[in-house]
Amino acid sequence: MSAQLSTITRVGVAAVLALCVALPGATCAKNVPPEKNPVRSFNEILSPIANVDATIRAELGATGPCEVPPVGGKKFYGAGRFVGVLYGVAYCDQETGLVWEVSPAAGFFNWAGAISHCATRQVGGRKGWSLPMREQLASLVDTNSVLCIGGGLCLPDSHPFQNVQAADYWSASTTAGSPTFAWIVNFFIGGALVIDLEGNGHAWCVRDSPSYDGQGLAAIE
């Protein structure tokens, strides 16, 4: 506890000092002549604070956006790109910060069904899942992986996921000018293409911001 308080105290002091140095007209700098306290850009203002944050994160052992809370008094930061979360039923991607269910459903859905499936999905006792946008889903594609080059699954080598098919997966993104079509990502060819909303595809749910492509619930009824 004392170590945690010490860290919190240093973070607070460092942040205050950074603000005092960075912000013109701050109380701690009110007696400084104007020529000694020139106007600064936002980047100049924010960089000392960012540096303080980076220093503290490094000291605590943080390795990326997928930090796992301490368990049994011990901190754990997963090695590699994907970090297990929610007791191993989902993985956080260190590159994007997105959390993916470890095992997508095996069945097929049309587009509305895929959105509804993820909207009501519960993984590891946790809700808040959604169908990913095209860019989010495509971020999992790795066409340079041994698996993909060998004609299999275009996911990163040594990925931790299970039951992912070399097939079409729906995204929540419809196509501009053609609202009856939506983007899918095919993990066999490692590419994205569009198909009719009534077509068949799998659903791989992500935990992030809601992604109904700007449409109301009427779109999935």
Side-chain angles (χ1 to χ4, degrees):
M1 178 63 73
S2 61
Q4 291 178 342
L5 290 175
S6 176
T7 297
I8 293 172
T9 300
R10 287 188 288 107
V11 172
V13 172
V16 171
L17 290 176
L19 287 171
C20 288
V21 171
L23 295 175
T27 302
C28 51
K30 63 182 181 180
N31 295 320
V32 178
E35 64 274 12
K36 300 295 185 180
N37 192 18
V39 175
R40 296 184 177 186
S41 67
F42 279 112
N43 286 338
E44 290 178 303
I45 291 172
L46 295 176
S47 60
I49 301 173
N51 290 337
V52 169
D53 180 67
T55 299
I56 297 301
R57 283 169 54 82
E59 181 178 329
L60 294 178
T63 58
C66 305
E67 300 175 10
V68 181
V71 177
K74 297 181 180 180
K75 291 182 298 182
F76 170 74
Y77 299 98
R81 176 175 170 178
F82 299 101
V83 178
V85 294
L86 300 181
Y87 303 99
V89 296
Y91 279 84
C92 181
D93 186 345
Q94 292 271 36
E95 288 188 1
T96 63
L98 299 172
V99 174
W100 299 93
E101 56 181 339
V102 67
S103 182
F108 287 98
F109 306 89
N110 62 16
W111 184 74
I115 286 182
S116 295
H117 165 74
C118 289
T120 57
R121 185 73 161 152
Q122 179 171 297
V123 179
R126 306 293 292 276
K127 290 185 177 292
W129 301 87
S130 61
L131 195 67
M133 301 302 286
R134 179 190 61 187
E135 296 82 357
Q136 294 176 325
L137 187 56
S139 71
L140 292 173
V141 171
D142 186 350
T143 56
N144 290 319
S145 70
V146 173
L147 292 172
C148 187
I149 293 174
L153 194 63
C154 292
L155 286 175
D157 292 326
S158 302
H159 71 84
F161 304 110
Q162 302 171 14
N163 301 321
V164 181
Q165 308 299 311
D168 296 337
Y169 280 79
W170 285 109
S171 80
S173 304
T174 54
T175 57
S178 300
T180 60
F181 287 79
W183 287 93
I184 59 97
V185 171
N186 183 285
F187 285 98
F188 178 72
I189 63 173
L193 56 152
V194 296
I195 63 173
D196 188 277
L197 298 183
E198 294 304 319
N200 288 322
H202 297 287
W204 193 348
C205 306
V206 68
R207 210 154 184 263
D208 187 44
S209 56
S211 57
Y212 295 121
D213 205 25
Q215 303 185 56
L217 290 179
I220 64 172
E221 293 177 350

